[in-house]
Amino acid sequence: MARISVVAPQILRTPSERLPIEAFGHKLIVHGNVQNAIESILNDPPECLLIQKGLQDGIDKTVITALKEDLKLSFLPIILAVQEKDIMSGIDFSRYPVDEIVCINAHPEEILTRIELSLSRSHRVADNNPLTGLPGNTSILKTIQGYIEQETERAVCYVDIDNFKPLNDKYGFSRGDEVIRMTARVIVNVVSEEAKSEGFVGHVGGDDFVFSVPVPAAESICKRILESFDALITLFLNPDDAERGYFESVDRQGRPQRFPLTSLSIAVVPCTKGRFNHYGEVSLVAAQLKKKVKAIEGSSYFIDRREDAEKA
Amino acid sequence: MDKIQEIKDRLKNLKSLPTLPPIVSRLNEMVEDEDVTAVSLGKVIEKDQVLTSKLLRMVNSSFFGFPQRISTVSNAIVLLGFNVIKTLIVTSSIFDVMQSSDIGLWEHSLGCAAFSGIMAARRNIKNPEEVSTASLIHDIGKVVIRSEFPEYYAKIVEDVERRGVFMREAEEEVLGVQHGEIGGWLADEWNLPERLSIPIRFHHYPEKAGEFVEIASIIHISDIVIRAWGYGFGGDKWVPPLSHAAWEQIKFGKAEGREIMEELDLRLSELKNFTMEF
């Protein structure tokens, strides 16, 4: 049972062609107008998209790329409907980063099978954090170990939301989830704009994130992330707390307690060539740095400069 | 089916709202440039009431997970990121035929946003950008009527011209509801924050805007000032009557009035430079 958007004028045109798929409980959302289709996909994403290759103005390519580059929508399985000649001549999948193909003149039963396969494959991708859609610990470890092994220099940055617990306690977990999603989007958008394909963002869990970027870009990226976070976080606080400048609550003895407002801290570990042999060493340095940066009030970042001293 | 139900149903299923072709083609050119940033796209988007509303619709949708929370273009831009904004641009729809009244309404909305921004800053409202955003999209209900109900729209325009009534009076007669209410319904349907939807709904009746009376009053007065200034075209040639309650909220004396008008003059001539390019 899934909702499937169909943006393919030459496929599943008649009710009788759609019947075998609908009989399986899937809901087909067939779009006649491509422009409207894309807007509704973005506003209310389906579980699978069937899109035809070679739509007017290359809009198929634009849409596929945009969906695959968005952190949350990248998990939406996309099936490309192609002509027979495309299969003969081959398809450049770096330009069409899709998950499955199906031929325009395939039987509805085959289309159904391809849809089912795509859905089941997408459920197998388990490492991603369900709240943010970001890659989790396995991918983070692999990525950073990869830098070490291939001697790629990267700044590995550990992000923590400070005073997240008082916010969660006071407003409830659904507001807390919003703040985590907000943080994820801010990090991803800044990293992908500034570091393009050289950046990576992962979600360790809870209020902990990791991102990596080229070393020279790290400082300006941290600044932008903190700036954006600080501008947005007030929208997630109740106006009276934002105005007061701290959270108020009572401890177990009923005494009033104050907590600083939620902020962000980033500990930056530059992984330069030969500095580390294993991911564990990186996270150890990060743990020490985190203590320092957390001690600073408000949003802040701290770049580990010790590597320079080691070299000298 | 009665018209009100018809309008509400249409709003529920509203897939796309068209906007002015020149803005969309300008943005389409911009996204082709590899060095263009999300922020620079935002600077153009925030000059179009339809694109601004769509951007806010997207960021406040349950999918992105910030329902009724985001009220300004700059915050939406940070959260959505370049790729989503690019997709919004390349798939946005345009008016098949652009009428001079479309440009008039666009200029009217921009003018109101400019005045509201100035006023909000002067009254120390916490987030002036939010007030100018609400002001920019306050007449979105008119765009809905124009694009979704062209026959009713033609009748309304004809009534305004023939009988010299206010546009909202003609709307009331033809549709049984005014553009403010329609805009409010759309804003609710699109999950926009109340800080936007309530002032949109009550910009002609700011005293009804409850805790948002100040924002609604600023928009109400901006509508009057911009029409009196003769900037853009709000749908009829009349300057609406001033709500006493709104004036009490944000009134200014002669000296401050002069300063405001000087600031506004500057902003409007900047805007004129922008709009003349189209």
Side-chain angles (χ1 to χ4, degrees), chain A residues 35-36 38-39 42-43 45 62 66 69-70 72-73 175 178 181-182 185-186 189 193 228 232 235-236, chain B residues 15-16 37-38 54 57-58 61 63-66 69-70 75 78-81 83-84 87 90-92:
Chain A
Q35 316 257 306
N36 291 353
I38 305 318
E39 215 179 306
L42 285 170
N43 282 313
T62 314
E69 283 177 7
D70 185 79
K72 228 180 142 181
L73 293 167
R175 187 91 64 97
E178 276 189 53
R181 273 196 293 263
M182 177 274 272
R185 291 205 72 89
V186 166
N189 290 335
E193 198 169 315
S228 303
L232 285 165
L235 304 175
F236 296 83
Chain B
K15 296 276 184 262
S16 198
T37 60
K54 284 185 178 183
R57 173 197 194 179
M58 202 166 275
S61 73
F63 172 70
F64 283 102
F66 314 110
R69 205 162 292 285
I70 310 301
N75 287 333
V78 173
L79 287 169
L80 292 175
N83 285 311
V84 174
T87 318
V90 299
T91 61
S92 55

Side-chain angles (χ1 to χ4, degrees), chain A residues 247-259:
Chain A
F247 294 117
E248 243 174 6
S249 68
V250 284
D251 66 10
R252 283 178 200 176
Q253 278 76 40
R255 286 176 303 220
Q257 253 186 322
R258 285 183 181 187
F259 295 98

Side-chain angles (χ1 to χ4, degrees), chain A residues 17-39:
Chain A
E17 286 176 314
R18 296 196 281 267
L19 188 65
I21 298 170
E22 285 166 340
F24 253 69
H26 296 307
K27 185 163 185 264
L28 290 173
I29 309 156
V30 181
H31 299 279
N33 176 318
V34 178
Q35 316 257 306
N36 291 353
I38 305 318
E39 215 179 306

Side-chain angles (χ1 to χ4, degrees), chain A:
Chain A
M1 290 258 286
R3 292 170 59 244
I4 297 138
S5 274
V6 182
V7 190
Q10 283 177 273
I11 208 165
L12 300 176
R13 274 177 298 187
T14 63
S16 67
E17 286 176 314
R18 296 196 281 267
L19 188 65
I21 298 170
E22 285 166 340
F24 253 69
H26 296 307
K27 185 163 185 264
L28 290 173
I29 309 156
V30 181
H31 299 279
N33 176 318
V34 178
Q35 316 257 306
N36 291 353
I38 305 318
E39 215 179 306
S40 82
I41 289 167
L42 285 170
N43 282 313
D44 185 16
E47 282 137 279
C48 181
L49 169 65
L50 179 58
I51 188 167
Q52 188 172 322
K53 185 169 176 285
L55 294 175
Q56 212 189 342
D57 300 330
I59 208 152
D60 49 335
K61 232 183 301 174
T62 314
V63 168
I64 293 168
T65 320
L67 291 175
K68 284 297 170 193
E69 283 177 7
D70 185 79
L71 79 130
K72 228 180 142 181
L73 293 167
S74 65
F75 307 108
L76 171 77
I78 302 180
I79 305 174
L80 191 65
V82 299
Q83 312 284 343
E84 212 156 337
K85 67 174 176 16
D86 290 314
I87 298 177
M88 295 305 165
S89 60
I91 298 162
D92 179 358
F93 286 111
S94 65
R95 289 165 69 219
Y96 288 94
V98 296
D99 304 275
E100 181 62 82
I101 62 162
V102 66
C103 193
I104 292 272
N105 48 22
H107 292 292
E109 287 77 10
E110 181 181 341
I111 301 176
L112 169 67
T113 311
R114 304 246 176 227
I115 290 171
E116 300 256 299
L117 170 63
S118 307
L119 291 169
S120 114
R121 191 159 35 203
S122 76
H123 289 146
R124 268 180 267 142
V125 185
D127 183 44
N128 297 298
N129 186 289
L131 183 58
T132 58
L134 286 173
N137 284 310
T138 315
S139 314
I140 295 171
L141 190 144
K142 259 194 226 160
T143 306
I144 296 173
Q145 191 63 36
Y147 296 147
I148 295 171
E149 281 162 18
Q150 282 142 39
E151 303 205 312
T152 311
E153 300 212 328
R154 285 285 184 273
V156 180
C157 311
Y158 290 79
V159 185
D160 245 306
I161 307 179
D162 301 327
N163 293 299
F164 179 67
K165 197 176 174 306
L167 178 142
N168 225 4
D169 290 348
K170 180 150 189 199
Y171 304 145
F173 65 87
S174 101
R175 187 91 64 97
D177 285 354
E178 276 189 53
V179 169
I180 287 174
R181 273 196 293 263
M182 177 274 272
T183 311
R185 291 205 72 89
V186 166
I187 299 173
V188 168
N189 290 335
V190 174
V191 167
S192 60
E193 198 169 315
E194 301 248 336
K196 305 249 158 42
S197 62
E198 293 177 316
F200 166 82
V201 183
H203 189 172
V204 179
D207 56 337
D208 283 336
F209 298 87
V210 172
F211 69 88
S212 62
V213 292
V215 179
E219 185 151 14
S220 72
I221 288 177
C222 288
K223 280 185 185 158
R224 256 188 82 183
I225 289 173
L226 297 181
E227 238 170 63
S228 303
F229 180 90
D230 286 346
L232 285 165
I233 188 68
T234 47
L235 304 175
F236 296 83
L237 304 174
N238 290 353
D240 52 333
D241 290 326
E243 223 145 89
R244 207 183 291 123
Y246 52 86
F247 294 117
E248 243 174 6
S249 68
V250 284
D251 66 10
R252 283 178 200 176
Q253 278 76 40
R255 286 176 303 220
Q257 253 186 322
R258 285 183 181 187
F259 295 98
L261 295 180
T262 311
S263 61
L264 208 62
S265 57
I266 311 178
V268 183
V269 184
C271 293
T272 43
K273 270 181 203 159
R275 185 179 176 198
F276 298 109
N277 294 313
H278 191 266
Y279 173 65
E281 298 167 17
V282 184
S283 60
L284 194 68
V285 174
Q288 295 161 348
L289 284 187
K290 270 189 180 180
K291 279 184 207 143
K292 281 192 195 167
V293 67
K294 277 202 162 263
I296 307 171
E297 205 176 306
S299 289
S300 54
Y301 65 95
F302 191 93
I303 302 178
D304 180 37
R305 311 271 185 195
R306 270 174 303 177
E307 43 140 8
D308 301 329
E310 283 164 27
K311 268 189 209 159

